Amino acid sequence: MTVFDGHQTRLGVVVIDCQTDDLTEAVGFWEQVFGAPGRINSRGKYARFGEYGEHPKMLLQAVDHPPRVHLDFETTDQAAEAARLEGLGATVVERSDHGWTVMEAPTGHRFCLVNPQGEDWPRDDGSDGGPPPKATLAGLSIDCQDADVATAQGFWAAVFGDAERQTPDETFVRLEPRAGLSIEVQRVDHPSRVHMDFEAENVDAEVARFEGFGAAVRARIHDWVVMEAPAGA
């Protein structure tokens, strides 16, 4: 959690948008990935994993656009945080009647500002109310299509309130971890998006496990494996 001009903001939720009307199959896939049960809400619009006090939260959302991952930032003052981010180059896309603000970064990524979620919001003493997150999800990568990495890192470092760290090859930068997650900004030649990185002691065994419940290998690059979740998940 970071304090900006009197209001508090943190990365609160990693949202996996699933292009489907029924989250049942998507929950079946992701609960095996996360190793935690998924619970669909009464409207069938969202499903969450693990305990509500964990941070950041993992959420599935049924949508009518192509699947993607987006970030929700919890804040005590949406208007003030939106103004701060506009000053950094972001734009407001929509102010929802449901209580959140949709914004677009100058790198092309959409994200949301939401009110504090649940009772795990940091207390006055600066500590979190909930337990630490599971270590399954190791990091998030913010892929920026054909972007100048220095410009992209400047925006996202300011969003997270983190110091910048440049890697030697200058193709990506790693920001100081938030809530145990590594946040990377990298230049890519595909459309801008956010993706998740998972750590595994035995990568080949984990790849086989993921394939067993419907994921597919898309590429093997250096020492990592790119995988794709099944349709609808």
Side-chain angles (χ1 to χ4, degrees):
M1 185 269 295
T2 306
V3 178
F4 299 104
D5 297 327
H7 66 278
Q8 300 172 332
T9 299
R10 72 175 183 183
L11 173 62
V13 189
V14 178
V15 185
I16 303 172
D17 295 338
C18 303
Q19 190 174 18
T20 181
D21 294 325
D22 185 353
L23 285 173
T24 303
E25 289 188 12
V27 168
F29 173 82
W30 288 106
E31 66 183 4
Q32 293 182 82
V33 172
F34 294 127
R39 293 180 288 279
I40 302 175
N41 74 346
S42 59
R43 295 169 50 209
K45 174 70 173 177
Y46 301 101
R48 64 181 176 86
F49 296 83
E51 298 301 322
Y52 199 75
E54 294 180 352
H55 169 248
K57 302 170 186 66
M58 304 302 302
L59 190 74
L60 297 190
Q61 177 177 227
V63 298
D64 57 8
H65 57 69
R68 64 189 181 202
V69 175
H70 79 260
L71 308 178
D72 283 356
F73 291 89
E74 297 174 284
T75 181
T76 54
D77 190 331
Q78 287 191 40
E81 182 65 357
R84 184 181 78 87
L85 298 177
E86 285 180 312
L88 297 171
T91 56
V92 173
V93 176
E94 177 188 3
R95 297 184 189 275
S96 172
D97 293 336
H98 298 292
W100 60 79
T101 305
V102 181
M103 302 196 72
E104 183 168 299
T107 52
H109 302 82
R110 294 223 174 162
F111 59 94
C112 296
L113 303 181
V114 300
N115 295 325
Q117 308 288 298
E119 298 179 354
D120 67 317
W121 182 256
R123 297 188 293 263
D124 292 338
D125 61 4
S127 62
D128 283 353
K134 289 183 173 65
T136 306
L137 178 62
L140 299 171
S141 179
I142 301 172
D143 299 341
C144 303
Q145 185 177 25
D146 299 327
D148 175 70
V149 173
T151 300
Q153 73 164 334
F155 174 80
W156 287 106
V159 169
F160 286 103
D162 284 333
E164 303 166 6
R165 288 196 301 174
Q166 179 69 59
T167 55
D169 63 7
E170 297 186 351
T171 59
F172 72 95
V173 293
R174 182 173 292 109
L175 306 181
E176 293 296 330
R178 282 287 174 195
L181 291 181
S182 168
I183 307 294
E184 293 184 350
V185 179
Q186 67 175 341
R187 183 175 65 245
V188 297
D189 57 9
H190 57 69
S192 298
R193 64 190 182 200
V194 176
H195 76 257
M196 297 176 290
D197 290 336
F198 293 87
E199 288 181 336
E201 291 183 1
N202 187 326
V203 173
D204 289 337
E206 191 68 351
V207 166
R209 187 176 75 89
F210 281 24
E211 287 179 318
F213 44 82
V217 173
R218 292 302 179 214
R220 294 180 182 269
I221 307 170
H222 302 302
D223 57 351
W224 64 83
V225 181
V226 180
M227 302 197 73
E228 181 173 291

